[in-house]
Amino acid sequence: MNHHRPPTKAPFHAAVLSVLLAAAVVSAHADSLREVFEKAWSNSPEGKTVEAKREEAAASRTVGESLFPGAPTVGAFQRTDRWNDNLGTRESEINVSLPLWLPGQKAARQALAEADSEENQRAIEATRLAVSGELRQTLWTLYLASSEVEIAAENLATARQLEADVSRRLKVGEIARTDLLLAKQETASARTVLADAESRAVRSRQRYRVLTGSDRLPDDPQEPIMPDGTGTAHPRLAAGLALVERARAGLRLARESRREPPSIGLQYRRDRESGGSTPRDSIGFAITIPLAVEVRNAPLIASANTSLAQADAQYRRLLAEIEAEQRAAEAQLEAARIGAEQAIARAQAATERLALIRRSFALGESALVELLRAQSQANEARIELARSRARLGAAQANLNQARGIPL
């Protein structure tokens, strides 16, 4: 199956894109997007866990490279008649036993160690992609919340200015008191909207701090759309395939380990038949060969087969999921582009109409209600424009995420 989608169409005209890029969240002490990601990675519990598993892979490799499949054993034996006849009979024995690899077992164990190492490396890459996705979502949520705070603050300043203008005109008898009360209501409503926006921004900021361990924002959260078909495997697919190969290596090891490991032993023995007799020393060799029986082997091989079947099924499901995610991300990006174009056109029209009605209101040709209605429509258009910016940036980041491109 080909998992690379054709590149999506180029971004819409440069004027629209420049407006969207100008809306990036910045900080006086900004980091690059890459630096922010590295902070999130070093602060990630999942990252620490998967990095720590390198030691498990190294231990598996050590076992595969060892001379023996298990630890040698040392035994001692002594017999005496001191507690019965007491004729001076003594028997002492020391033995050392070494387990041996079965034919093909060591190669299978080394292959499993290699599979463990590869699985760990691919798991690290997949986890880095997952942390990238979490950071992307958190960053664009914060971007939108910050934009809404900025717009709400400007709307409150505009409402206060309008209230002051209406109050001045009321004093000279140009306007009714009901218009002043309406302006005061508009100011109070704008103040409430700003408080709500600030609350959402604080929550987003706290989530960002938990994720990265820092308040420093990237200098530009905007990501270029990376082309599909770069020749590199999707990290999640690579991790899934590594799991399959690890399960296959485990099955091979189970088949090669048909019995417990045989062992050879060296024995040293000293005998003395009675008190005063000369001790006799002897050296012996022993070999132990356990038999292969179904009661031992069948469950192990069946379990390894089950693990392989499960890993293979998960990999096939992952193929379909990633294909669907990429198609959905491309559709989401196209919808975000269209929405951004429409939001810009709507905001421009609403702003122009508001300017005309403001001049008409200043000349006494329009009622305050009409001005407030135009102002509300302009505010809604600006908020929708900010949201469209966030949706477009998030859609571009989401497409990179779906294509398996980490930060």
Side-chain angles (χ1 to χ4, degrees):
M1 182 183 298
N2 182 11
H3 308 294
H4 297 301
R5 303 292 305 156
T8 54
K9 64 180 68 174
F12 49 88
H13 54 80
V16 173
L17 190 58
S18 63
V19 172
L20 299 176
L21 293 178
V25 179
V26 297
S27 173
H29 303 285
D31 291 332
S32 69
L33 192 56
R34 177 70 179 184
E35 289 171 335
V36 171
F37 168 72
E38 291 301 335
K39 288 181 179 179
W41 175 251
S42 63
N43 199 47
S44 168
E46 295 81 5
K48 289 183 172 64
T49 299
V50 75
E51 289 278 6
K53 288 186 176 180
R54 287 183 188 272
E55 297 182 5
E56 294 183 15
S60 179
R61 186 184 299 274
T62 300
V63 173
E65 294 174 351
S66 64
L67 294 176
F68 308 105
T73 60
V74 177
F77 167 79
Q78 185 171 13
R79 185 172 66 176
T80 177
D81 65 350
R82 178 180 179 182
W83 310 108
N84 40 39
D85 296 338
N86 198 20
L87 299 176
T89 301
R90 301 287 188 271
E91 295 180 14
S92 301
E93 181 180 304
I94 297 177
N95 61 77
V96 178
S97 180
L98 301 176
L100 301 176
W101 290 104
L102 291 168
Q105 186 183 34
K106 184 172 184 179
R109 191 66 185 81
Q110 290 175 335
L112 180 61
E114 291 294 331
D116 283 336
S117 180
E118 181 70 10
E119 178 194 352
N120 176 252
Q121 181 60 38
R122 299 308 178 189
I124 290 175
E125 295 171 1
T127 305
R128 286 178 70 87
L129 179 63
V131 174
S132 294
E134 188 176 5
L135 177 59
R136 282 164 167 150
Q137 182 180 8
T138 301
L139 190 58
W140 282 105
T141 301
L142 176 57
Y143 163 80
L144 175 58
S146 300
S147 298
E148 290 182 344
V149 168
E150 181 181 356
I151 293 172
E154 292 177 1
N155 292 342
L156 177 57
T158 300
R160 285 172 172 169
Q161 183 178 358
L162 178 62
E163 181 182 340
D165 182 49
V166 171
S167 179
R168 178 186 58 78
R169 294 179 64 178
L170 176 62
K171 290 179 181 179
V172 297
E174 295 182 358
I175 205 168
R177 180 169 176 77
T178 54
D179 289 338
L180 177 60
L181 295 176
L182 186 58
K184 287 180 177 295
Q185 291 176 3
E186 190 69 17
T187 301
S189 176
R191 189 178 294 110
T192 300
V193 170
L194 176 59
D196 291 341
E198 288 175 340
S199 176
R200 290 192 296 271
V202 168
R203 291 196 298 270
S204 298
R205 172 75 69 169
Q206 292 301 319
R207 176 58 189 156
Y208 178 82
R209 180 182 294 126
V210 169
L211 183 61
T212 64
S214 172
D215 286 325
R216 294 162 69 96
L217 299 175
D219 49 5
D220 185 359
Q222 196 80 24
E223 292 182 49
I225 301 175
M226 302 301 293
D228 200 4
T230 58
T232 58
H234 193 294
R236 290 170 60 196
L237 286 179
L241 186 58
L243 280 174
V244 173
E245 294 303 323
R246 199 276 177 199
R248 186 171 287 117
L251 177 58
R252 177 187 172 190
L253 178 61
R255 287 173 173 169
E256 295 295 341
S257 303
R258 297 175 299 277
R259 57 177 64 89
E260 296 295 335
S263 62
I264 59 172
L266 175 65
Q267 299 174 335
Y268 168 76
R269 180 167 180 166
R270 167 167 286 195
D271 297 326
R272 190 176 66 178
E273 294 183 355
S274 61
S277 63
T278 302
R280 293 180 300 176
D281 297 334
S282 60
I283 296 177
F285 297 92
I287 182 168
T288 302
I289 303 178
L291 299 178
V293 292
E294 286 299 313
V295 70
R296 173 193 178 275
N297 297 334
L300 298 178
I301 294 176
S303 177
N305 267 316
T306 300
S307 297
L308 177 58
Q310 182 179 8
D312 186 67
Q314 290 176 344
Y315 178 71
R316 294 180 182 279
R317 171 63 65 87
L318 193 58
L319 288 174
E321 288 178 353
I322 290 177
E323 179 76 12
E325 287 173 5
Q326 290 179 355
R327 289 179 179 273
E330 290 172 359
Q332 179 188 13
L333 177 59
E334 185 61 26
R337 283 174 171 161
I338 296 174
E341 289 180 319
Q342 298 302 316
I344 288 176
R346 178 188 176 192
Q348 290 174 343
T351 300
E352 184 177 354
R353 180 172 180 272
L354 176 60
L356 293 174
I357 293 180
R358 276 177 176 166
R359 285 197 294 269
S360 177
F361 176 73
L363 296 174
E365 298 175 355
S366 298
L368 178 61
V369 173
E370 188 176 357
L371 174 60
L372 293 178
R373 185 182 299 111
Q375 189 167 285
S376 175
Q377 292 173 348
N379 292 342
E380 292 176 0
R382 292 182 64 200
I383 292 175
E384 181 57 31
L385 178 58
R387 289 172 178 166
S388 70
R389 291 167 177 166
R391 281 194 291 266
L392 180 61
Q396 293 181 183
N398 187 50
L399 180 57
N400 287 339
Q401 181 74 19
R403 289 176 173 175
I405 302 169
L407 290 172

